[in-house]
C-alpha cells in the first residue's frame, strides 16, 4: 500500500499519524478516569498503530511508474474491506438487540450489554460503519472513473478513510462505556464530532479537487449526488452538534439548542441524515453501477437531473414530520407533511428511472444476481419512499408513531434499499478493482441475494404487523372511555413478531457473512482477467474539445 | 428588528412559493435546454466506455 507513496508523502503521513497519537496522549492526560481518558488511549493506539505501519516501510523504494497514468485504488480496496467488517459487526448487533427485545435475558445483567447501549452500536455500526465506508469507497471509485482523473491527493484519501473509521470506533466504544449526546444518529460526544468535522471537510476538498481535474466539461450526475451527500452531511453535522463540554477534561457536553428548537434541529438533522446519508449517496451508486452492470445508459438523463434538484430541495423541509403532535408549531408540522408528500415525486422519478433502464435487459436481471440486487434495491426504494410519504400525513402518523411500523419503514429502506444497492455495487466493483474476471462464486451471490430478500421481507412484514397491532391496541377504548389494553398487553402481543424479526435479521446477517467470504475468495483465488487494452487515452481521440 | 409570527408566515407563504417556482423553472430550463442535449447524451454513454486509465495531457 505504501509503495505508492513518495518519501515526502510518507513523512507527511507519519507526521499526521503522530499528531493524532499525541492528541490521544493529551486527551488521556486531561480525561484521566473519565471516558475521555479511555478514548485518549484508543486514539493514541490508533495513531500510533498507523505511525508504526508507515515506519515499517518508511525507507522502501520510491514509486517508479508514472502515477498519473493509473487510478488510485488502494484506499478503495481498504474501504470495501472495512465496510464489510462493519456490516458484520453492525448487523450482528442488530440481531442481538432484536433478540433482546424477544428475550430480555440476553442482556446478561451487565451495564454495557443493556439494550440502551447496544442499540446505538447497531445504528452507528450499520449506517456509518457499513454505509459510510461503502460510500467513501464507491465515491472515490466513481469520481475517478467519471472524471477520468486520479484522486487529487495521495495521503488525504487515507486520512479521510482512516479518520472516519476512528470516529466510528470512538462512537461505538463510547456507547458501550455509557456516554451519549442523546441525539439519535448523532450520539457521539463533542471531541469525536470535532474530529469528524476535520475529516469531512478534507473529504469535501478532496472530492472537489478531483472533479476539478476532469477532462469532460459536464460532471456525471452520480457525482452530484455524492457531492450533495458530502456537503449536506457536513452542514447537518456541524449545526446539530453545536455543544459545550462541561470542561475540557470531560466527555459530557450540553447542546446549545434549547427545548423545542433542539427537537427541530435534531430532526432536521435526523431526516436529512436519511436523505443525504442513506439516500443521496446511495443514489450516486445507483446512477453509476446500475448502468455499468446492465451495460445500458440510464433511461433518462434529464429525469435524473430533475429528480436530483427535487430531492435536494424538498428533503430539506421535511424533517418536522418526525415531530407531529408535539410542541412544535402546527404550521411547521404542516409544512413538513406537505413537503414529505411532494417528495414522492422525485423519489419515484429516481426509482422509475432505474427500473426503466433495465427495461429490455430483463434477461440479464434474471441471470445475474448482482444486477438483481440493484433492481430489488430500486423497488424497495420506491416502496419505502411511498410508505414514508404516507406516514408523514399527520393522521396516519398518529397511528404509526412510537410503533414498530416506523421500525419496519426504517428497515424497508435500510435493508431493502441501502444494503441491497451496496451489495450490488460491491459485487460489480470488487472484480473490476482487483482485475478479476468475475466474483469467485456466482452461486454464492445468488444465495446471498435470496437470503437478503427473505430476511428483508420477514423483517418488514413482522414489523408492519406488530406496528399496526400496537397502534390499534393503544387507541382502543372501552365503552366507559378507558383504554382497553395496558401497555404490557401490547407487549405480549408483540412477542411472536419480535422472534420473527430476529430470525429475518439473522438470515440477512448470514447473507452478509457469505458476501464477505465471496469477496475474500475473489481477492485471493480467482486468476487475473486477461488484461484489456490498457493504453492511456490519446487526447485527439476524445471528441468535444 | 422585531418579526412577528404573522409577518414571517406571510413572507414564506408568498415569497417562499415564488422562489420555489422560480427554482423549478430554472431547473427545467437547464434540463431541457436544446443545446445541453449533446452534453447529456455524452455523459450518459461515457460511463459505459471500457477504458480504465485516467486521461493524460
Ligand atoms: C441484520 C439485520 C438487522 C437487524 C436484525 C436489525 C435490528 C434492529 C433493531 C432490533 C432495532 C431497534 C428497534 C427498536 O428499538 O424497536 C433497529 C433499529 C435500527 N436499525 Fe436495524 N437491523 C438490521 C439491519 C440494519 C441495517 C442494514 C441498517 C441501515 C443501513 C439498520 C438501521 C437501523 C436504524 C436506522 C434503526 C433505528 C430505527 C428507529 O429509531 O426508528 N438496521 N434495528
Ligand atoms: C420520500 C421519502 C421518505 C419520507 C417522506 C419518509 C418519512 C418518514 C416518516 C414520516 C417517518 C416516521 C417519523 C415518526 O413518526 O417519528 C420516518 C422515519 C424514518 N425513516 Fe423515512 N421516509 C422516507 C424515506 C426513507 C428512506 C429511503 C429511508 C432509508 C433508509 C428512511 C429512513 C427512516 C428512518 C431511519 C426513520 C426513523 C427515524 C427515527 O425515529 O429514528 N426513510 N420516515
Amino acid at each position: 500500500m505504501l509503495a505508492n507513496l513518495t518519501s515526502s508523502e510518507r513523512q507527511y503521513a507519519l507526521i499526521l499519524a503522530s499528531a493524532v497519537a499525541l492528541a490521544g496522549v493529551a486527551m488521556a492526560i486531561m480525561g484521566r478516569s473519565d471516558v475521555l481518558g479511555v478514548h485518549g488511549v484508543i486514539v493514541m493506539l490508533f495513531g500510533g498503530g498507523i505511525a508504526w505501519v508507515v515506519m515499517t516501510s518508511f525507507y522502501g523504494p520510491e514509486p517508479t511508474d508514472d502515477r498519473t497514468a493509473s487510478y488510485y485504488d488502494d484506499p478503495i480496496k481498504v474501504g470495501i474491506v472495512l465496510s464489510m467488517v462493519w456490516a458484520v459487526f453492525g448487523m450482528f448487533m442488530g440481531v442481538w438487540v432484536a433478540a433482546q427485545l424477544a428475550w430480555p435475558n440476553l442482556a446478561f445483567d451487565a451495564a454495557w450489554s443493556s439494550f440502551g447501549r447496544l442499540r446505538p452500536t447497531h445504528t452507528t455500526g450499520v449506517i456509518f460503519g457499513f454505509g459510510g465506508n461503502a460510500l467513501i469507497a464507491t465515491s472515490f471509485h466513481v469520481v475517478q472513473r467519471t472524471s477520468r482523473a486520479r484522486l487529487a491527493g495521495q495521503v488525504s484519501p487515507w486520512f479521510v478513510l482512516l479518520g472516519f473509521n476512528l470516529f466510528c470506533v470512538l462512537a461505538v466504544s463510547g456507547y458501550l462505556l455509557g456516554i451519549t449526546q442523546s441525539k439519535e444518529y448523532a450520539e457521539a460526544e463533542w471531541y469525536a464530532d470535532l474530529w469528524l468535522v476535520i475529516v469531512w471537510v478534507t473529504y469535501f476538498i478532496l472530492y472537489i479537487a478531483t472533479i476539478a481535474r476532469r477532462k469532460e466539461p459536464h460532471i456525471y450526475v452520480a457525482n452530484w449526488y455524492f457531492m450533495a451527500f458530502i456537503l449536506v452531511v457536513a452542514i447537518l453535522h456541524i449545526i446539530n452538534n453545536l455543544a459545550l463540554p462541561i470542561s475540557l477534561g470531560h466527555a459530557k457536553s450540553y447542546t446549545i439548542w434549547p427545548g423545542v428548537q433542539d427537537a427541530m434541529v435534531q430532526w432536521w438533522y435526523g431526516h436529512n441524515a436519511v436523505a443525504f446519508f442513506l439516500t443521496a449517496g446511495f443514489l450516486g451508486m445507483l446512477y453509476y453501477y446500475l448502468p455499468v452492470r446492465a451495460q445500458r445508459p440510464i433511461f433518462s438523463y434529464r429525469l435524473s437531473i430533475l429528480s436530483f434538484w427535487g430531492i435536494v430541495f424538498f428533503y430539506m423541509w421535511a424533517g418536522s414530520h418526525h415531530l407531529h403532535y408535539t410542541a412544535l408549531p402546527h404550521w411547521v408540522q404542516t409544512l413538513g407533511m406537505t413537503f414529505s408528500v411532494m417528495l414522492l415525486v422525485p423519489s419515484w422519478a429516481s426509482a422509475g428511472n432505474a427500473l426503466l433502464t433495465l427495461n429490455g435487459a430483463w434477461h440479464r436481471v434474471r441471470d445475474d444476481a448482482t444486477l438483481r440486487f440493484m433492481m430489488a434495491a430500486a423497488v424497495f426504494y420506491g416502496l419505502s419512499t411511498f410508505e414514508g410519504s404516507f406516514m408523514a400525513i399527520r393522521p396516519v402518523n398518529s397511528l404509526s408513531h412510537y410503533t414498530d411500523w416506523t421500525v419496519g419503514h426504517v428497515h424497508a429502506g435500510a435493508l431493502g434499499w441501502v444494503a441491497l444497492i451496496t451489495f450490488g455495487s460491491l459485487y460489480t466493483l470488487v472484480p473490476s478493482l482487483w482485475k478479476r474476471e468475475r466474483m469467485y462464486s456466482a452461486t454464492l451471490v445468488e444465495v446471498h441475494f435470496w437470503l437478503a430478500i427473505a430476511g428483508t421481507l420477514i423483517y418488514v412484514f413482522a414489523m408492519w404487523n406488530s406496528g399496526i397491532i400496537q397502534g390499534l391496541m393503544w387507541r382502543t377504548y372501552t365503552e366507559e372511555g378507558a383504554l382497553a389494553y395496558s401497555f404490557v398487553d401490547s407487549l405480549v402481543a408483540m412477542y411472536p413478531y419480535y422472534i420473527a424479526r430476529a430470525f429475518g435479521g439473522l438470515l440477512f446477517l448470514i447473507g452478509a457473512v457469505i458476501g464477505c467470504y465471496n469477496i475474500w475468495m475473489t481477492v485471493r483465488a480467482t486468476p487475473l482477467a486477461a488484461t484489456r487494452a490498457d493504453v492511456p487515452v490519446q487526447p485527439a481521440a476524445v471528441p468535444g474539445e | 428588528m422585531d418579526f412577528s409570527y404573522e409577518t414571517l408566515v406571510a413572507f414564506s407563504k408568498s415569497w417562499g412559493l415564488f422562489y420555489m417556482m422560480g427554482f423549478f423553472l430554472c431547473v427545467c430550463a437547464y434540463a431541457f435546454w436544446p443545446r445541453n442535449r449533446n452534453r447529456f447524451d455524452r455523459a450518459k454513454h461515457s460511463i459505459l466506455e471500457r477504458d480504465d486509465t485516467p486521461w493524460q495531457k
Side-chain angles (χ1 to χ4, degrees), chain A residues 417-471:
Chain A
W417 157 238
V418 169
L420 292 192
I421 189 69
T422 305
F423 292 135
S425 303
L426 293 189
Y427 284 140
T428 309
L429 179 54
V430 163
S432 94
L433 210 54
W434 271 276
K435 309 233 176 346
R436 303 290 190 262
E437 200 81 65
R438 61 182 79 83
M439 287 300 294
Y440 164 72
S441 160
T443 318
L444 288 183
V445 179
E446 192 76 36
V447 172
H448 182 184
F449 176 80
W450 289 111
L451 282 172
I453 293 292
T456 308
L457 289 179
I458 295 175
Y459 192 123
V460 172
F461 274 98
M463 289 299 100
W464 279 339
N465 272 311
S466 96
I468 298 212
I469 294 177
Q470 262 178 325

Side-chain angles (χ1 to χ4, degrees), chain A residues 184-185 267 274 315 321-322 385 388-389 391-392 397 401 409-410 413:
Chain A
E184 204 174 6
Y185 318 126
W267 283 108
V274 167
Y315 256 121
H321 65 218
H322 290 266
T385 49
S389 298
M391 287 163 70
N397 196 261
H401 193 73
H409 161 70
V410 169

